[in-house]
Amino acid sequence: MAASAARRPRAPDHVRPVPNERLEIRSDPVKGRGIFARQALIPGTLIEAAPVIVVPAAQCPLLDRTILHDYYFHWDGDPDGEGRGAVALGLVALCNHSRRPNARVRRNFAQDTLDLVALLPIAAGDEVTIDYNCPLWFEPQD
């Protein structure tokens, strides 16, 4: 068995998951789980490029009936209606909403990623927040 494992080709380095040294998940007593900076970030910093699973528009109403409703993003189409969704496979999905966000999510269609970009200086230890840009299903806590 070890001989066959030795002959198995290794995956190229560029497809291995890359740890994100900039972020950590912590719990906020009011908002619950969120993303916090592990190091200072300057405006314009690409904090994370999260790969996505693009969900066909016809399947988004199914997601809306699950817990994933709170975590997936609008991908394309009509911003206020029909369009595909994107399930982020990264920490960006855990960013909390703020009316005064310090980061934003940019849809990167060429790379099929949701790019989390700093809008303001973010100090180490600060929560990274975004504006959900949609009708909220909860009472904002900031």
Side-chain angles (χ1 to χ4, degrees):
M1 187 131 139
S4 65
R7 283 184 265 145
R8 189 176 322 138
R10 283 183 34 159
D13 287 337
H14 66 278
V15 297
R16 289 187 184 157
V18 177
N20 190 326
E21 299 298 324
R22 295 181 171 133
L23 301 174
E24 65 186 6
I25 301 169
R26 281 201 262 155
S27 186
D28 176 274
V30 176
K31 297 183 194 178
R33 194 167 44 173
I35 301 303
F36 292 78
R38 294 182 68 193
Q39 58 186 240
L41 304 167
I42 62 170
T45 299
L46 176 62
I47 303 169
E48 179 184 48
V52 298
I53 296 172
V54 178
V55 179
Q59 293 179 18
C60 288
L62 298 171
L63 285 180
D64 291 341
R65 297 193 328 243
T66 72
I67 190 65
L68 289 178
H69 166 269
D70 297 357
Y71 299 97
Y72 84 98
F73 293 77
H74 185 80
W75 185 246
D76 59 14
D78 179 3
D80 297 318
E82 291 298 313
R84 296 184 297 168
V87 175
L89 304 177
L91 297 177
V92 67
L94 298 177
C95 282
N96 284 318
H97 169 79
S98 174
R99 292 176 286 207
R100 295 177 303 281
N102 55 18
R104 74 179 185 97
V105 176
R106 180 178 59 207
R107 290 154 186 82
N108 185 331
F109 298 109
Q111 297 295 317
D112 282 341
T113 59
L114 287 170
D115 296 347
L116 182 61
V117 179
L119 290 173
L120 304 169
I122 303 171
D126 283 355
E127 184 174 15
V128 178
T129 58
I130 60 175
D131 184 339
Y132 287 1
N133 291 315
C134 68
L136 300 177
W137 58 97
F138 56 87
E139 188 62 36
Q141 297 297 316
D142 64 345

